[in-house]
């Protein structure tokens, strides 16, 4: 079995689903002839033709609206925003139409659409190409928000997203697009949505994260282990709806929690997790919940970019603070 990168897993999942479901179409800027900015759709137009892999104008608003219309009429469109920072013009159609269609029509119509976007910083791109804005979509009823952190999870979760009867935001952490490879069977097996993945068992502190930050969080767990501290690592995978039960179960065991995310601190999704822990797990906690996040500023240019992103050292220090507190 060949080892593939995360970006290759995205391509593999799209190809599988297009080959097995003629209702699936891909659309976006440069997704056809060029295979996308990051080559996520490379070779798909040659295989499935220009009517199923559609190069659109440079117009995110039209892409989003066209996707709603296609999905409402029985197709399964997978739309690409070239970067997460370009997704803001798409938000009106996503929030006002895609996410509301099932409720608005009392179940008569639904929108089985996926909106893909390369997400996050760490690739030395300008700030509008490096945003972590998943929290903006978690407040929209009727919309799933999914973010894989490995090739295997990218493959399985994208298949599940395409098969879901309702709209899904699928954010792909581009910093780890080609960072490492793993074996991914091309068998069409989807992974479950709406559940967290416990990547590492631990007894002393729970580390909760998603997307590209899974890498640093696992490395922090390794560093803590060298000091005799056992950290449990949880990958949300589906950011919304949140599988809080898995987090609460872990915190009931470890009694401490550190939440790691790249988005700005204020009103980032980590705040929602912390609030739920305060509501439901207060008496399990021996220390205040810690958050290791991006800062309340635009991501800086590349000389300072890695200073902005959560680091292994910052995660380790936060975990130690929870242990020192009680």
């Amino acid at each position: 079995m060949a080892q593939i990168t995360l970006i290759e897993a995205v391509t593999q999942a799209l190809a599988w689903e297009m080959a097995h479901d003629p209702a699936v179409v891909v659309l976006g800027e440069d997704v056809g002839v060029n295979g996308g900015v990051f080559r996520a759709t490379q070779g798909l137009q040659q295989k499935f033709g220009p009517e199923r892999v559609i190069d659109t104008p440079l117009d995110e608003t039209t892409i989003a609206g066209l996707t709603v219309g296609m999905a409402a009429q029985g197709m399964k469109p997978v739309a690409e925003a070239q970067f997460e920072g370009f997704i803001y013009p798409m938000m009106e159609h996503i929030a006002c139409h895609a996410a509301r269609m099932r409720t608005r029509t009392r179940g008569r119509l639904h929108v089985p659409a996926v909106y893909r976007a390369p997400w996050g910083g760490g690739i030395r791109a300008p700030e509008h190409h490096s945003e972590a804005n998943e929290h903006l979509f978690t407040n929209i009823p009727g919309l799933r928000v999914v973010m894989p952190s490995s090739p295997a999870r990218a493959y399985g979760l994208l298949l599940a997203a395409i098969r879901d009867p309702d709209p899904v935001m699928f954010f792909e952490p581009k910093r780890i697009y080609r960072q490492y490879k793993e074996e991914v069977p091309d068998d069409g097996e989807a992974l479950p949505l709406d559940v967290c993945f416990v990547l590492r068992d631990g007894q002393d502190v729970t580390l909760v994260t998603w997307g590209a930050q899974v890498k640093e969080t696992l490395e922090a767990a390794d560093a803590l282990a060298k000091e005799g501290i056992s950290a449990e690592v949880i990958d949300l995978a589906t950011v919304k709806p949140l599988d809080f039960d898995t987090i609460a179960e872990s915190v009931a065991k470890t009694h401490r929690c550190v939440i790691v995310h790249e988005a700005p601190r204020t009103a980032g999704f980590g705040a929602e997790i912390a609030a739920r822990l305060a509501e439901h797990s207060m008496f399990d906690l021996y220390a205040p919940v810690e958050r290791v996040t991006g800062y309340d500023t635009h991501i800086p240019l590349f000389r300072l970019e890695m200073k902005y992103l959560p680091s292994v050292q910052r995660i380790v220090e936060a975990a130690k603070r929870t242990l020192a507190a009680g």
Side-chain angles (χ1 to χ4, degrees):
M1 185 188 306
Q3 292 195 336
I4 60 174
T5 62
L6 194 153
I7 192 70
E8 290 170 329
V10 168
T11 310
Q12 188 167 280
L14 289 170
W16 173 279
E17 207 63 10
M18 293 185 76
H20 292 83
D21 188 344
V24 178
V25 296
V26 171
L27 67 154
E29 300 164 2
D30 299 321
V31 299
V33 174
N34 291 332
V37 170
F38 294 95
R39 303 299 183 259
T41 54
Q42 190 167 34
L44 295 183
Q45 190 178 77
Q46 290 81 354
K47 186 173 183 179
F48 298 103
E51 292 186 353
R52 295 189 65 197
V53 183
I54 305 165
D55 279 318
T56 67
L58 302 181
D59 184 353
E60 285 80 13
T61 304
T62 295
I63 295 169
L66 181 61
T67 298
V68 174
M70 296 169 77
Q73 296 304 310
M75 303 184 77
K76 296 179 181 179
V78 181
E80 179 184 292
Q82 283 192 335
F83 291 88
E84 70 294 291
F86 298 172
I87 211 165
Y88 300 116
M90 305 174 81
M91 288 185 71
E92 180 180 0
H93 285 295
I94 293 169
C96 296
H97 303 294
R100 296 172 185 259
M101 191 67 70
R102 181 183 290 280
T103 300
R104 177 183 294 152
T105 64
R106 299 184 181 182
R108 185 174 63 87
L109 297 176
H110 59 107
V111 179
V114 177
Y115 292 91
R116 292 181 44 250
W119 170 97
I123 65 163
R124 298 190 172 191
E127 88 289 343
H128 216 55
H129 301 67
S130 301
E131 301 195 10
N133 50 20
E134 71 279 6
H135 54 293
L136 300 180
F137 296 90
T138 59
N139 196 238
I140 300 173
L143 187 67
R144 274 185 171 81
V145 180
V146 177
M147 192 180 303
S149 61
S150 73
R153 286 188 285 283
Y155 179 81
L157 291 171
L158 182 53
L159 289 175
I162 297 171
R163 296 168 189 175
D164 193 87
D166 292 303
V168 177
M169 299 300 305
F170 196 85
F171 290 110
E172 300 161 9
K174 55 184 178 287
R175 178 160 62 93
I176 59 172
Y177 261 160
R178 295 177 172 85
Q179 195 169 71
Y180 66 95
K181 296 182 177 183
E182 65 181 7
E183 292 185 352
V184 182
D186 191 13
D187 55 8
E189 289 293 321
L191 288 172
L193 298 173
D194 308 347
V195 299
C196 298
F197 294 92
V198 179
L199 304 184
R200 179 176 179 141
D201 291 328
Q203 301 297 322
D204 298 325
V205 61
T206 299
L207 308 180
V208 180
T209 190
W210 53 94
Q213 277 60 54
V214 168
K215 177 180 181 294
E216 281 75 20
T217 305
L218 287 169
E219 290 174 358
D222 289 337
L224 289 166
K226 293 177 182 178
E227 300 185 41
I229 300 169
S230 173
E232 186 146 299
V233 178
I234 296 177
D235 174 12
L236 292 193
T238 300
V239 181
K240 187 249 181 160
L242 174 66
D243 173 17
F244 180 72
D245 288 346
T246 297
I247 298 171
E249 181 180 348
S250 177
V251 169
K253 176 177 61 173
T254 67
H255 307 294
R256 298 167 181 85
C257 185
V258 177
I259 303 164
V260 183
H261 65 70
E262 184 174 326
R265 184 178 184 84
T266 299
F269 195 69
E272 172 65 24
I273 299 171
R276 293 200 196 185
L277 287 170
E279 291 170 349
H280 303 289
S281 301
M282 175 69 77
F283 297 109
D284 291 322
L285 287 166
Y286 289 175
V289 174
E290 288 273 349
R291 286 182 291 159
V292 181
T293 71
Y295 299 99
D296 289 338
T297 183
H298 302 295
I299 191 167
L301 295 176
F302 71 86
R303 286 189 179 181
L304 295 175
E305 189 174 23
M306 300 313 291
K307 298 289 186 182
Y308 174 94
L309 300 176
S311 66
V312 172
Q313 180 179 354
R314 287 173 61 195
I315 300 167
V316 168
E317 290 172 352
K320 288 181 177 180
R321 284 195 297 270
T322 67
L323 290 161

